[in-house]
Amino acid sequence: MSLSVTVLGTASPHPGPDTPCSGYLVRGGGAQVWVDAGFGSFAELRRHTDPARLDAIWISHLHADHYADLTAAVYGFAYGGLTLPAPVPVYAPRDCASRLAGFFGRADTGFLSGVFDFRALGDGYAVQHGELTLTASAVEHDVEAYGLRAEAGGRVLAYSGDTGACDALLHLAGGADLFVCEADVDAHGEGEVDPVHLTPEEAGAGARMAGGMGKLMITHVGPSLSVEDATARAASVFGGPTVAARVGETHVV
């Protein structure tokens, strides 16, 4: 039973000409889950699967570069011929439905019930689809935010979402076969309190300190960094196999 992740988008905080914002297709245990729905990721998702066959959608937090393409999915499912057999579960922070309804100028969320079944995340929230288990871990960001631990067939994929350095991140990533981790900022500002993103060095240190790590994948690299530089800097601290997340690539965990 394989566990894999296909990179749909990595850009922060806005998409580039060929790079959507955060999005990943996780497949394993007979299930497939769209993890984060940043700008442009729905189109990339369609290169790799029929979105109507998704078992679930998982949203780490409610910044637009991680959830805004749910609007594209609504149009696809409700009006675009991508007919769902049943509303797809959406695991997300509790305000996701109201935020999405607001995009359509609606105060109520009931009109979304034909396509989405919203379920509020919380720290430690776990759910299983097929033999794929998804577990949320609350991380440190400037809004409610969760990292993800996905497990199937004895293999473990960890995803940081957006976060500053915190103990929860180490717990989330411990023993993971693949750790997909943000490295958004070059350096923290002078006097910055409670950082909400990681430097490449912090991503590498987190992977090393978590222990038992198979491979580190650097993603969500901000505009002050190059992907190549961020990956090399993280690798120098981690000391283990380190790769850059590249749109369209699939990695078997």
Side-chain angles (χ1 to χ4, degrees):
M1 181 193 309
S2 66
L3 177 63
S4 70
V5 57
T6 300
V7 180
L8 308 177
T10 65
S12 167
H14 55 80
D18 301 304
T19 310
C21 285
S22 292
Y24 308 87
L25 174 61
V26 174
R27 291 182 275 204
Q32 49 182 352
V33 180
W34 181 16
V35 175
D36 274 348
F39 303 112
S41 61
F42 185 69
E44 188 65 25
L45 176 71
R46 294 190 64 195
R47 295 184 193 275
H48 302 280
T49 192
D50 176 357
R53 299 179 64 184
L54 289 171
D55 293 278
I57 300 170
W58 195 96
I59 302 296
S60 65
H61 66 289
L62 299 182
H63 282 159
D65 58 333
H66 290 259
Y67 90 99
D69 244 30
L70 288 179
T71 57
V74 170
Y75 276 96
F77 294 142
Y79 316 116
L82 302 175
T83 305
L84 292 164
V88 63
V90 178
Y91 303 101
R94 64 185 67 254
D95 291 336
C96 188
S98 59
R99 294 279 192 92
L100 195 56
F103 175 86
F104 293 94
R106 300 282 291 270
D108 67 286
T109 62
F111 76 103
L112 296 169
S113 63
V115 291
F116 292 146
D117 175 10
F118 289 95
R119 304 180 189 187
L121 288 176
D123 189 34
Y125 183 101
V127 65
Q128 189 163 337
H129 287 275
E131 296 185 42
L132 176 67
T133 300
L134 308 173
T135 305
S137 181
V139 293
E140 297 293 330
H141 200 42
D142 54 356
V143 295
E144 181 184 4
Y146 299 94
L148 170 67
R149 191 173 174 95
E151 303 177 63
R155 308 296 286 177
V156 177
L157 165 70
Y159 169 53
S160 66
D162 279 10
T163 182
C166 58
D167 289 342
L169 188 64
L170 305 183
H171 177 72
L172 171 77
D177 297 285
L178 177 63
F179 180 30
V180 181
C181 188
E182 71 126 274
D184 190 84
V185 295
D186 182 28
H188 297 300
E190 185 176 351
E192 183 177 358
V193 178
D194 297 328
V196 298
H197 285 294
L198 299 171
T199 66
E201 288 78 12
E202 288 173 330
R208 187 188 70 243
M209 293 168 61
M213 187 72 57
K215 182 186 292 185
L216 172 63
M217 181 187 290
I218 295 300
T219 192
H220 201 271
V221 175
S224 63
L225 287 163
S226 73
V227 172
E228 293 76 16
D229 183 48
T231 303
R233 287 167 54 180
S236 70
V237 177
F238 173 41
T242 307
V243 297
R246 303 286 187 185
V247 174
E249 290 187 354
T250 296
H251 296 259
V252 177
V253 177

